[in-house]
Amino acid sequence: MSNPSAAAALPDLAVEIRGLNKIYRGGGKRAPKQALADFSLEVPRGSFFGLLGPNGAGKSTMINILAGLVQKTSGTVRVWDYDIKREERQARCAIGVVPQELNLDPFFTPQELLEVQAGLYGVPKAERRTQEILEIVGLADKAHAYARALSGGMRRRLLIAKALVHTPPIVVLDEPTAGVDVELRQHLWRHLKELNKRGTTILLTTHYLEEAEALCDRVAIINHGRLVACDTTQALLKRIDNKAVILTLAQPLAEIPPPLARFRATLPLPNELHINYRPSDHAMQEILDAVRAANLAVADLRTDEVDLEDIFLQLTAGSSAVSV
């Protein structure tokens, strides 16, 4: 197969989804289930895009539709500007998918698995990067070991390697670091960042919210099959208008000083003062001026910033999603 990334005119959007619906038919006593409902999403070319959502939100269904493993009920999906229905071959060539499931043949070695995968994609032998890819995922020393002898983390790495054999312009990773130790996770993060810098669009689903915050320049949140948020990571972080200042005091307090009464201040410990405030209502300087006016001797000061987990919990709370 020819590599779509070699095309002269590169698309602005790596993935474009419009009005996507997926309804799984019921059977017996099971009612039909709508996994995706009027779902629309744009993934810009070259982005490191995070897709977050609770279990059962529809993330894996969407990815399986992109990969051609699940048939959509309605809507349009384009991968590297190829319609997944009318231009199925080109669309599949443009994407490499790392699934959640460890679907490896236990009687093949990593080297054999990558060679077979490259052959399935029509990669000429002279252009195959088997050894390079094994080194990237830290499996070069296991090239000739049977897959059944690999640990769970090694098998996860091998799945990532399989997705890279045809050098796709888009790589989709469905929970790629699940069950992977911290050191290996950091190694994979470094490689994924480098891969993205070289121009590969990466679409990542993860339950590790700090992972999405550290890696992704854009994030979409899906709940009950609907898109509830999609923006740059920094713009999403600004949505929750709340910060906290934690003061460790040199002398204990019995009550909140009058100058701080107008703020949401609490004393969880006699020598620890918590001040919660909305940056849209108060500047940090106002709080520092109030602390100074209260004549407090401060031994230490730290701030508690909003993170992606706060956004996620706020937008996915409750039983129904609200489109924004």
Side-chain angles (χ1 to χ4, degrees):
M1 292 186 183
S2 60
N3 189 339
S5 63
L10 299 178
D12 291 331
L13 297 177
V15 175
E16 183 180 6
I17 300 173
R18 301 291 181 198
L20 180 61
N21 289 278
K22 175 59 186 177
I23 301 174
Y24 290 103
R25 290 181 296 178
K29 295 182 179 180
R30 290 186 295 109
K33 174 179 174 56
Q34 182 151 15
L36 293 170
D38 296 321
F39 184 84
S40 297
L41 184 69
E42 293 182 351
V43 178
R45 171 173 54 85
S47 63
F48 203 131
F49 199 100
L51 183 65
L52 308 180
N55 289 331
K59 304 187 302 297
S60 292
T61 294
M62 191 210 75
I63 286 173
N64 287 333
I65 289 173
L66 290 178
L69 301 175
V70 169
Q71 294 295 313
K72 60 186 172 69
T73 302
S74 63
T76 60
V77 179
R78 301 186 71 83
V79 174
W80 209 246
D81 209 24
Y82 296 113
D83 186 280
I84 63 168
K85 191 71 174 179
R86 297 195 307 269
E87 302 163 293
E88 182 178 4
R89 177 182 171 137
Q90 295 94 323
R92 289 197 182 191
C93 187
I95 195 169
V97 178
V98 182
Q100 284 190 43
E101 299 79 14
L102 295 172
N103 55 352
L104 298 169
D105 190 318
F107 297 101
F108 278 75
T109 67
Q111 183 173 16
E112 290 169 341
L113 282 167
L114 295 197
E115 286 293 317
V116 169
Q117 187 80 352
L120 291 173
Y121 277 97
V123 181
K125 286 192 175 182
E127 297 177 15
R128 294 180 187 177
R129 303 161 45 236
T130 299
Q131 190 61 30
E132 176 190 344
I133 293 172
L134 288 174
E135 289 176 358
I136 285 170
V137 298
L139 290 176
D141 60 335
K142 301 291 183 181
H144 303 291
Y146 287 119
R148 66 176 181 269
L150 301 179
S151 68
M154 290 178 181
R155 294 180 190 182
R156 181 73 59 188
R157 284 182 268 168
L158 187 51
L159 285 179
I160 295 174
K162 283 182 64 180
L164 300 178
V165 295
H166 58 297
T167 318
I170 307 165
V171 174
V172 179
L173 302 110
D174 195 3
E175 302 289 345
T177 56
V180 171
D181 62 60
V182 174
E183 183 178 356
L184 177 57
R185 188 180 301 164
Q186 294 288 341
H187 173 80
L188 291 175
W189 283 12
R190 287 194 297 272
H191 172 64
L192 292 175
K193 286 180 178 179
E194 183 59 33
L195 196 64
N196 180 243
K197 284 180 181 178
R198 294 176 187 172
T200 301
T201 303
I202 296 178
L203 177 58
L204 170 74
T205 77
T206 178
H207 280 298
Y208 299 108
L209 299 184
E210 75 279 7
E211 189 168 73
E213 191 170 344
L215 294 174
C216 301
D217 48 65
R218 295 187 67 84
V219 171
I221 298 177
I222 180 174
N223 198 24
H224 298 287
R226 296 182 182 275
L227 188 70
V228 296
C230 183
D231 213 328
T232 65
T233 307
Q234 290 305 311
L236 280 177
L237 291 175
K238 292 178 181 177
R239 286 200 181 192
I240 294 184
D241 188 23
N242 187 66
K243 278 189 177 183
V245 178
I246 298 95
L247 303 174
T248 302
L249 306 174
Q251 300 293 330
L253 288 178
E255 58 184 14
I256 304 296
L260 294 169
R262 62 194 180 99
F263 300 104
R264 291 178 292 162
T266 59
L267 269 174
L269 296 172
N271 66 334
E272 190 168 282
L273 179 66
H274 289 203
I275 302 172
N276 292 291
Y277 71 102
R278 297 181 183 278
S280 60
D281 295 335
H282 304 287
M284 173 66 80
Q285 189 60 50
E286 290 181 61
I287 295 171
L288 295 178
D289 289 343
V291 169
R292 194 175 296 110
N295 294 315
L296 297 179
V298 178
D300 190 23
L301 180 150
R302 69 182 190 276
T303 60
D304 186 10
E305 300 282 347
V306 65
D307 61 22
L308 207 52
E309 184 171 4
D310 298 314
I311 304 289
F312 179 84
L313 292 173
Q314 184 186 77
L315 293 176
T316 60
S319 58
S320 62
V322 178
S323 180
V324 296

